[in-house]
Amino acid sequence: GKCLYMLDEGKIDLSTGGNSVQVLSPGELCGLQSVLLKRPITFTATCISDKCRLRSMCETDFNKLLKSSRSMKESLENMCLRRVFKKAVVKKMNKSFPSASELREVFDAVDLDHSGTLDMNEIKEVLNFLDTKLTKRQTKDILRSLDLDGSGEIDFEEFKNIFGKQ
């Protein structure tokens, strides 16, 4: 079955196509995409420390937990949707997700019209590198998860606030 995993000990690199999307530290989760979005797992998880220990929670128990807290569900969904976008950026750039100091390069590569903001079309364009079958609703949900001020677009400050804390 589909499970969610929490890292108890060590560090795990989540990568796609050989490029790192994120390094998990103790207390962080993986497997959210398969449980929350009902999508296949599309990353490789590799222990990059001497020892890694994971704890699992399968879909049935996880759904019970989500029903108990609407705010937890929303927070986890936003985290999951942002990771989908990060994976798409890694695929588009064909390199590991950058450090905080390199975020401007990524933002500018995604900002196709050089307007200084990312709109729905630019988000969709990046997501197509990951999955051309994402629905318009899923794309809107991803945009919403990135749009901290509710303007309908993502500016660099929002982008930096989400992805610059690595």
Side-chain angles (χ1 to χ4, degrees):
K2 297 176 183 177
C3 292
L4 171 73
Y5 301 92
M6 178 186 286
L7 183 61
D8 282 338
E9 181 181 346
K11 290 205 178 271
I12 291 181
D13 179 57
L14 301 179
S15 62
T16 183
N19 294 307
S20 180
V21 176
Q22 181 170 349
V23 175
L24 296 181
S25 297
E28 293 188 293
L29 305 170
C30 63
L32 284 171
Q33 183 175 339
S34 72
V35 176
L36 284 175
L37 302 181
K38 310 289 187 231
R39 301 185 54 78
I41 293 174
T42 59
F43 61 82
T44 302
T46 306
C47 179
I48 57 172
S49 32
D50 293 337
K51 179 181 177 185
C52 290
R53 191 168 43 108
L54 293 167
R55 192 182 314 199
S56 67
M57 178 184 286
C58 290
E59 189 172 18
T60 305
D61 292 331
F62 182 65
N63 285 333
K64 288 177 191 173
L65 179 65
L66 288 182
K67 286 179 184 175
S68 72
S69 173
R70 182 178 173 89
S71 63
M72 180 191 307
K73 181 179 182 186
E74 288 174 4
S75 294
L76 290 172
E77 283 175 345
N78 281 338
M79 183 171 66
C80 181
L81 293 167
R82 290 170 182 168
R83 283 186 184 171
V84 169
F85 182 75
K86 280 178 77 170
K87 281 191 241 181
V89 168
V90 166
K91 287 262 191 189
K92 176 183 173 35
M93 303 288 288
N94 196 29
K95 64 181 189 177
S96 296
F97 200 82
S99 65
S101 64
E102 301 168 312
L103 285 176
R104 176 51 82 174
E105 173 191 354
V106 172
F107 184 87
D108 290 346
V110 176
D111 182 15
L112 301 174
D113 64 4
H114 309 291
S115 65
T117 61
L118 307 180
D119 62 23
M120 177 73 141
N121 292 330
E122 290 164 321
I123 297 294
K124 179 67 176 164
E125 182 73 27
V126 171
L127 292 172
N128 281 338
F129 281 88
L130 184 65
D131 185 348
T132 57
K133 296 177 184 161
L134 286 171
T135 66
K136 189 172 186 175
R137 178 80 217 149
Q138 289 169 320
T139 303
K140 282 183 179 180
D141 288 344
I142 290 169
L143 175 62
R144 180 192 42 75
S145 78
L146 299 168
D147 183 15
L148 301 178
D149 65 8
S151 67
E153 298 178 320
I154 296 100
D155 63 29
F156 182 67
E157 286 304 309
E158 289 170 298
F159 192 82
K160 190 170 65 173
N161 283 336
I162 292 170
F163 299 118
K165 300 173 182 170
Q166 298 183 20

